[in-house]
Amino acid sequence: MNDTFKGFLRNDGKVGVRNHIAIIPSVFCSAKVAERIAYQVPGCVYFRHPVGCSQVGEDLEITAKTLISIGKNPNFAGVVVVGLGCERFSPYELAEGIAPANKMLETVVIQKEGDSLAAIQKGSRIAREMQQIASRQVREEVPVSELTIGLNCGGSDMTSGLIANPALGHASDRLVKNGGTSLLSEITELLGTEEILARRAVNAEVSNDILETVRRTEEKLFRQTQQSSNIERTHLISKGNYDGGLSSVVEKSLGSMKKSGKASFSGVVSYGEQPKSKGLYLLDSPGHDGEVSTGQVAAGAQMILFPTGRGTPTGFPGVPVIKITGNPNTYQRMQENIDINAGEVLLGNQTLEEMGEGIYQEIIEVASGKQVKAEILGHDEQFCVTRLP
């Protein structure tokens, strides 16, 4: 079996599986200019968000850490930071945070350039020059230990916990065993499994960190649900989950944790930060698909593995999202959105282990350049910086 892939070596020692130029606004006021720059130059991706100003304290700190870490992700050969000029999170602070990654980096400030048109013109020229340089870089063979994957899911049904998630867990175990890194998140969808996860910790400190992470989430959810006047809005699973055969958040959590396989947890990662070493990590994050994926990409994930029983088309800018379904009916309906039909296990055509091995090989192929369906169709909805409640 192949345990290497062909990626783009970066100056900071990391490896990208894509070679895009990222256009990152420091504030929502510069988002449209960033978008226009990206549209001018093929190979660019941009990151629209509604934050960067009128935030204080930890709320602004999370925004800063997340945007900086997104810019450092090795899938991006270069970054153009686009600022307005008067925002609380300065574009220069964003650029300075990205700078240690030692990649192509420039800053465009709308108020300094004079207006939107001037900023778009300058940013487009810079992005074109970066893209020309990036286009000359070739892929090189590297071990899978250079890979970090995010484990996310959305639109779950009864087949997710039975088939797609455990098959992905097998693939995650293979990657971790070969020295790679895997990130489990969606804390709101792990409630009730914390004791099980804690027993898989490498030491007592990590075990306590896992228990404390889940405890904090439970306390936050309790406060939020006490304030709601609509009982339907206090449910932790969606109507689609119920319709798909899931009976409770406990059942959903027991299925969700299977994405992480059986490997030991090396630690817990805060939102907007990166693991200190290789292995399986728990990433502290809300359960919203976009906030989860964004946190994982900020933590260094070069791709996202995304089981979906009900089906979803969403993707992430510049980061491949591999869609997996354990429901053969969903695959038939959404073949243009789903990459892997794990429903073959349900039909008796493959074992969970065989499907897991197939997912592992798909990870390697995608890391080496194979496009996933979300990329081909231009889906980029999953970028979403979290905010404090």
Side-chain angles (χ1 to χ4, degrees):
M1 292 294 181
N2 188 14
D3 291 319
T4 63
F5 71 99
K6 292 186 176 181
F8 298 100
L9 273 61
R10 304 302 185 202
N11 292 330
D12 62 354
K14 297 180 180 179
V15 181
V17 306
R18 296 294 182 265
N19 206 32
H20 297 295
I21 305 301
I23 316 297
I24 306 179
S26 57
V27 66
F28 72 94
C29 313
S30 58
K32 179 55 70 172
V33 169
E35 178 184 356
R36 294 290 174 82
I37 292 170
Y39 282 175
Q40 294 277 351
V41 185
C44 290
V45 294
Y46 81 102
F47 291 86
R48 176 184 290 277
H49 62 81
V51 288
C53 205
S54 298
Q55 295 176 281
V56 296
E58 188 181 358
D59 202 14
L60 184 57
E61 185 65 24
I62 290 174
T63 292
K65 290 193 299 183
T66 303
L67 294 179
I68 288 170
S69 295
I70 290 288
K72 288 181 174 181
N73 189 284
N75 280 10
F76 308 121
V79 178
V80 180
V81 172
V82 183
L84 176 59
C86 58
E87 58 267 41
R88 185 165 292 178
F89 180 42
S90 162
Y92 302 108
E93 181 184 349
L94 175 52
E96 288 171 5
I98 297 170
N102 197 21
K103 61 178 67 181
M104 294 181 287
L105 177 65
E106 295 285 350
T107 303
V108 176
V109 181
I110 298 169
Q111 291 172 349
K112 181 179 179 181
E113 297 307 319
D115 56 30
S116 295
L117 295 179
I120 292 168
Q121 183 179 30
K122 179 177 180 179
S124 299
R125 176 181 55 77
I126 292 170
R128 281 197 299 271
E129 292 171 354
M130 287 185 179
Q131 185 58 33
Q132 281 187 317
I133 295 171
S135 68
R136 295 196 291 268
Q137 189 173 4
V138 296
R139 291 179 180 269
E140 300 181 47
E141 191 162 358
V142 293
V144 294
S145 58
E146 298 299 330
L147 279 178
T148 296
I149 64 171
L151 309 174
N152 197 354
C153 64
S156 298
D157 71 0
M158 61 177 293
T159 69
S160 297
L162 291 173
I163 296 170
N165 292 352
L168 175 55
H170 177 90
S172 175
D173 283 345
R174 283 274 276 127
L175 180 66
V176 171
K177 183 178 179 181
N178 286 321
T181 302
S182 189
L183 304 167
L184 178 68
S185 193
E186 301 173 285
I187 306 302
T188 55
E189 297 177 8
L190 293 172
L191 301 180
T193 68
E194 61 270 20
E195 296 287 347
I196 301 172
L197 300 178
R199 287 197 293 269
R200 290 167 51 191
V202 294
N203 56 43
E205 181 181 1
V206 173
S207 178
N208 289 333
D209 286 345
I210 291 172
L211 294 172
E212 177 63 16
T213 298
V214 177
R215 184 194 64 78
R216 286 198 307 269
T217 297
E218 285 183 317
E219 287 185 352
K220 184 185 299 183
L221 288 171
F222 179 78
R223 291 195 304 270
Q224 291 174 324
T225 54
Q226 295 306 299
Q227 298 168 2
S228 178
S229 60
N230 186 330
I231 189 64
E232 294 295 328
R233 297 195 179 108
T234 67
H235 292 184
L236 296 181
I237 65 176
S238 70
K239 182 180 182 298
N241 294 150
Y242 284 128
D243 292 343
L246 292 173
S247 65
S248 66
V249 68
V250 175
E251 186 176 15
K252 186 175 183 179
S253 295
L254 289 169
S256 182
M257 74 171 186
K258 292 182 180 179
K259 297 194 297 289
S260 65
K262 299 178 180 178
S264 298
F265 283 92
S266 297
V268 177
V269 183
S270 298
Y271 198 91
E273 298 183 353
Q274 300 184 355
K276 294 182 174 62
S277 60
K278 309 281 188 178
L280 173 65
Y281 284 82
L282 183 67
L283 171 66
D284 191 1
S285 167
H288 181 279
D289 294 345
E291 291 174 323
V292 173
S293 293
T294 299
Q296 291 174 338
V297 174
Q302 301 112 313
M303 70 176 70
I304 305 293
L305 280 294
F306 198 103
T308 174
R310 304 280 291 175
T312 178
T314 57
F316 195 95
V319 174
V321 179
I322 301 175
K323 298 290 176 48
I324 308 163
T325 188
N327 190 324
N329 294 329
T330 298
Y331 182 76
Q332 289 302 317
R333 287 196 312 271
M334 302 187 68
Q335 289 188 48
E336 296 304 321
N337 297 119
I338 308 295
D339 298 285
I340 298 175
N341 180 16
E344 291 296 320
V345 176
L346 186 66
L347 298 175
N349 298 326
Q350 290 190 43
T351 65
L352 275 175
E353 291 73 20
E354 289 169 340
M355 181 57 64
E357 191 61 34
I359 294 172
Y360 176 72
Q361 293 304 320
E362 181 76 359
I363 290 171
I364 291 172
E365 287 190 39
V366 171
S368 297
K370 177 182 176 181
Q371 284 201 315
V372 301
K373 292 178 180 178
E375 288 180 290
I376 294 169
L377 295 177
H379 284 287
D380 60 2
E381 305 90 340
Q382 288 185 18
F383 176 65
C384 178
V385 181
T386 192
R387 300 188 71 175
L388 292 178

